[in-house]
Amino acid sequence: MKKIPFNVLAPAFEAHAAEYEEAALRVLRSGWYVLGAEVEAFEREFADYLGVSYCIGLNSGLDALVLAVRALGIGPGDEVIVQANTYIATVLAITGCGATPVFVEPDGYHGLDAARVEAAVTPRTKAILPVHLYGQPCGMEGLLGIAARRGLAVIEDCAQSHGAMWRGRKTGTLGTVGCFSFFPTKNLGAFGDAGALVTEDEALAERVRALRNYGSKKKYVNEIEGVNSRLDEIQAALLRVRLRFLDTINAERAAIAARYAELIRSSFVLKPRPRPEATHIFHLYVVECDHRDRLQEHLSAHGIGTQIHYPIPPHLSGAYARLGYGRGAFPETERLAERVLSLPLYSGMNEDDVRTVCDAVNSFRP
Ligand SMILES: Cc1ncc(COP(=O)(O)O)c(C=O)c1O
């Protein structure tokens, strides 16, 4: 039986191995390894790709979110509205700054629901935090409208949405600030941890630039209490290579998703619903099933790897026991956690692999 893994990263490297090797060697031979010409070039190139003025390279996607919340001056006593169905990093950024996450249930596209956000706004609300989960942009119209009317910041979590577009504009450029992860599995993946923050706000960009480097703009002059969250030169050089192929990578993933949409016919499986006004970049292909665990076992018996994004919603995780939410606090989110299953999807996945997965899904009987 041929095994189909959930994800493999090597083929994406092999496809352009010579370019990656050249970039890494260029940095090794340069004698300059942290915050240099490669980081500056990547920041400029990624900003140009997105169509935004400022990009600051950081250590991780979590750091991008944390520094966004901090640079916006959000802290103890402040509330940030976020969808309950997200990866815990989104929430860690809020609580890491001492602010309070206010969870709302998602809309029918797994995104932040504007009507529920409106109902959750209080005098303490400082920001709303849409997560473009799985690579599909949130419905930004309502969210941007609320933010404008109420004077709130919009922090976009773009950890899964590099190059995804909403009404022709790239995610990360729609709100006040966009936060990206370049964790190796992401569509724009580095070869280690890396992240970036993008914004149109020059003062905010300057603050984050200082914060990432111990709070200094000038060596040994520290005006604010910063952190070490610098993107290193090797990751930046490798990301510059991958950025050139990002649109191709996204198109390949969308083509695989389109084949899944055509070939999966099981009445036990609900396929992802693409938002008509957006381009989904299919960081993940997530189906829903009433008998998810049995479907996962069935696929595993056919040699097919799957994952669950995510099995425990943040409000039920041990880390947030102190927030006092019990089971039933967010029933739609909890139901999703029991129903979602991510199918294999990776660069280099061929038609035979896709058909094998679809045949196995279609042969599932609960
Ligand atoms: C939605 C979301 N937000 C934030 C993060 C954090 O990114 P990183 O792993 O680079 O810290 C991730 C990545 O895992 C993510 O999927």
Side-chain angles (χ1 to χ4, degrees), residues 59-65 85-91 129 131-134 157-160 179-186 192-195 283-284 309-310:
N59 255 340
S60 69
L62 173 60
D63 277 1
L65 288 159
N85 62 322
T86 184
Y87 183 53
I88 197 160
T90 318
V91 186
L129 207 170
V131 183
H132 306 301
L133 201 66
Y134 308 147
D157 184 337
C158 305
Q160 305 188 3
C179 302
F180 289 86
S181 162
F182 305 125
F183 186 76
T185 56
K186 308 299 187 196
D193 274 313
H283 170 57
L284 295 167
H309 298 92
Y310 297 93

Side-chain angles (χ1 to χ4, degrees), residues 239-288:
L239 281 165
R240 292 180 67 198
V241 176
R242 185 146 292 177
L243 180 58
R244 296 209 305 272
F245 306 116
L246 177 57
D247 285 342
T248 313
I249 291 167
N250 286 349
E252 182 188 3
R253 299 179 82 92
I256 293 167
R259 292 299 283 150
Y260 273 151
E262 273 172 45
L263 298 174
I264 294 175
R265 301 249 165 70
S266 170
S267 57
F268 302 109
V269 166
L270 189 68
K271 292 177 272 190
R273 271 209 307 154
R275 209 183 267 286
E277 77 279 17
T279 3
H280 194 324
I281 56 145
F282 288 100
H283 170 57
L284 295 167
Y285 190 89
V286 179
V287 299
E288 288 177 46

Side-chain angles (χ1 to χ4, degrees), residues 71-314:
L72 285 164
I74 297 169
D78 297 331
E79 293 175 352
V80 177
I81 302 174
V82 63
Q83 68 220 56
N85 62 322
T86 184
Y87 183 53
I88 197 160
T90 318
V91 186
L92 288 172
I94 301 168
T95 57
C97 294
T100 304
V102 174
F103 297 112
V104 293
E105 298 270 35
D107 64 13
Y109 300 90
H110 303 133
L112 187 57
D113 186 326
R116 283 156 161 165
V117 169
E118 184 88 68
V121 174
T122 76
R124 288 182 297 280
T125 310
K126 289 292 180 319
I128 56 183
L129 207 170
V131 183
H132 306 301
L133 201 66
Y134 308 147
Q136 163 122 286
C138 291
M140 293 302 292
E141 195 147 73
L143 299 175
L144 294 173
I146 297 166
R149 277 198 308 284
R150 309 269 195 158
L152 306 175
V154 177
I155 303 167
E156 297 179 69
D157 184 337
C158 305
Q160 305 188 3
S161 69
H162 316 77
M165 287 199 277
W166 182 80
R167 302 235 155 103
R169 286 169 60 200
K170 299 226 169 72
T171 57
T173 70
L174 303 159
T176 318
V177 52
C179 302
F180 289 86
S181 162
F182 305 125
F183 186 76
T185 56
K186 308 299 187 196
N187 290 28
L188 180 60
F191 294 77
D193 274 313
L197 178 152
V198 303
T199 184
E200 277 305 320
D201 182 333
E202 187 180 358
L204 187 77
E206 280 305 301
R207 243 183 338 271
V208 174
R209 216 175 271 290
L211 278 172
R212 79 167 168 189
N213 193 23
Y214 305 124
S216 75
K217 288 182 189 164
K218 198 169 153 209
K219 203 168 174 144
Y220 303 132
V221 181
N222 302 78
E223 303 289 351
I224 45 179
E225 279 182 54
V227 296
N228 175 353
S229 184
R230 300 177 297 224
L231 177 61
D232 72 64
E233 287 283 282
I234 288 194
Q235 296 305 336
L238 295 168
L239 281 165
R240 292 180 67 198
V241 176
R242 185 146 292 177
L243 180 58
R244 296 209 305 272
F245 306 116
L246 177 57
D247 285 342
T248 313
I249 291 167
N250 286 349
E252 182 188 3
R253 299 179 82 92
I256 293 167
R259 292 299 283 150
Y260 273 151
E262 273 172 45
L263 298 174
I264 294 175
R265 301 249 165 70
S266 170
S267 57
F268 302 109
V269 166
L270 189 68
K271 292 177 272 190
R273 271 209 307 154
R275 209 183 267 286
E277 77 279 17
T279 3
H280 194 324
I281 56 145
F282 288 100
H283 170 57
L284 295 167
Y285 190 89
V286 179
V287 299
E288 288 177 46
C289 178
D290 284 339
H291 317 278
R292 190 266 317 279
D293 292 348
R294 265 182 273 161
L295 174 61
Q296 185 171 39
E297 281 161 25
H298 171 82
L299 294 177
S300 174
H302 283 75
I304 296 164
T306 56
Q307 285 191 10
I308 297 166
H309 298 92
Y310 297 93
I312 304 171

